[in-house]
Amino acid sequence: MAEVLDELMRLWHNLHHKPLFGLLLTLCIYQLALMLYEYCNRRVILHPVATGSIAIALLLNALDIRYRDYLQSNQLLYFLLGPATVALAVPLHQQFHHIRKLLLPVLVTVVIGGVFAPAVAVGIAYLLGGSDAILLALTPKSVTTPIALGVADIIGALPGLTTGVVVFTGVVGALLSPAVFYLLNLHDPRLQGVVLGLNAHGVGTARGFEINPTVGAFASLTMGLTGAFTALTLPYALKLF
């Protein structure tokens, strides 16, 4: 029995140091989380990004796997985030006849929301005594992960912390969106898409497409515009402080 356990431990030690172990773990956990999400009729609180992230965090802690090693083995997924974001141009094109009519109001909303959302987050963190590293990581919180990582590199924010903030923002935004829509009596799919894209970026956009194509298209547009606005203005704005 002891020999069997020693052999299993040796196999485990060799396996979790393989470059693709983290990628395999991510795909398996996400698939299980997606199955749970579908089984529970797509309840927002069980969104696979939320449940999958929690499960992976617990597993990394239980198995004593360094986050740095896990992140390194998932570089392929990080690379694919960029093409996946660009591919959102397809539904944008399909819904362009709706988008064209509201482009100016969406642009105004993106400018106001793109400034207000991170400013409030940074302000609250500052009042609560947040460190400079936390404040920097919060500044690109309202843009999708590939853009946020690019901005983080420019402004000197920690990429791991920035990624966590962005994902947490997206998950919380998607989770709270049904309650917000209900309280504000917001039934227009175009406005729902704008709210999701601005406040929950990638996760919110995915949720938008689950609601209907118009919500997803407006979420894609708003997410892209917010990302572009933040990337072009944030590095220069920080120089003023």
Side-chain angles (χ1 to χ4, degrees), residues 126-175:
Y126 177 78
L127 293 176
L128 293 176
S131 65
D132 291 343
I134 293 176
L135 298 182
L136 277 177
L138 284 171
T139 53
K141 62 173 283 295
S142 294
V143 299
T144 190
T145 305
I147 299 177
L149 288 174
V151 173
D153 183 58
I154 295 173
I155 65 177
L158 297 174
L161 184 57
T162 300
T163 301
V165 168
V166 170
V167 172
F168 182 77
T169 300
V171 171
V172 171
L175 291 177

Side-chain angles (χ1 to χ4, degrees), residues 12-239:
W12 164 247
H13 179 78
N14 292 333
L15 176 63
H16 90 270
H17 283 90
K18 296 296 182 182
L20 293 180
F21 172 75
L23 179 61
L24 180 62
L25 177 65
T26 302
L27 295 177
C28 289
I29 292 297
Y30 180 80
Q31 185 60 41
L32 291 173
L34 184 61
M35 291 170 61
L36 175 65
Y37 184 55
E38 296 288 350
Y39 179 78
C40 297
N41 297 318
R42 297 189 173 189
R43 294 185 181 275
V44 182
I45 196 171
L46 295 175
H47 194 282
V49 174
T51 55
S53 298
I54 294 172
I56 288 178
L58 292 175
L59 280 173
L60 293 182
N61 182 66
L63 300 175
D64 195 27
I65 299 175
R66 294 186 306 173
Y67 176 73
R68 187 191 321 171
D69 296 334
Y70 170 75
L71 180 64
Q72 185 64 34
S73 62
N74 277 279
Q75 288 303 307
L76 177 61
L77 292 182
Y78 275 87
F79 170 77
L80 292 176
L81 283 173
T85 303
V86 174
L88 292 173
V90 175
L92 279 177
H93 173 72
Q94 294 172 340
Q95 298 291 324
F96 188 71
H97 57 289
H98 292 304
I99 294 172
R100 182 173 52 188
K101 301 175 184 177
L102 290 175
L103 186 58
L104 182 58
V106 170
L107 286 173
V108 174
T109 303
V110 164
V111 172
I112 296 175
V115 172
F116 185 76
V120 169
V122 171
I124 293 174
Y126 177 78
L127 293 176
L128 293 176
S131 65
D132 291 343
I134 293 176
L135 298 182
L136 277 177
L138 284 171
T139 53
K141 62 173 283 295
S142 294
V143 299
T144 190
T145 305
I147 299 177
L149 288 174
V151 173
D153 183 58
I154 295 173
I155 65 177
L158 297 174
L161 184 57
T162 300
T163 301
V165 168
V166 170
V167 172
F168 182 77
T169 300
V171 171
V172 171
L175 291 177
L176 295 181
S177 60
V180 172
F181 296 156
Y182 175 78
L183 291 174
L184 298 180
N185 197 29
L186 195 64
H187 302 298
D188 190 324
R190 300 169 299 179
L191 298 181
Q192 290 181 347
V194 170
V195 171
L196 283 171
L198 182 59
N199 295 284
H201 32 78
V203 180
T205 299
R207 177 61 183 168
F209 281 112
E210 293 177 1
I211 299 173
N212 71 51
T214 301
V215 176
F218 273 86
S220 300
L221 174 66
T222 309
M223 179 183 69
L225 291 175
T226 304
F229 173 73
T230 302
L232 292 173
T233 59
L234 181 59
Y236 299 102
L238 288 178
K239 293 181 179 179

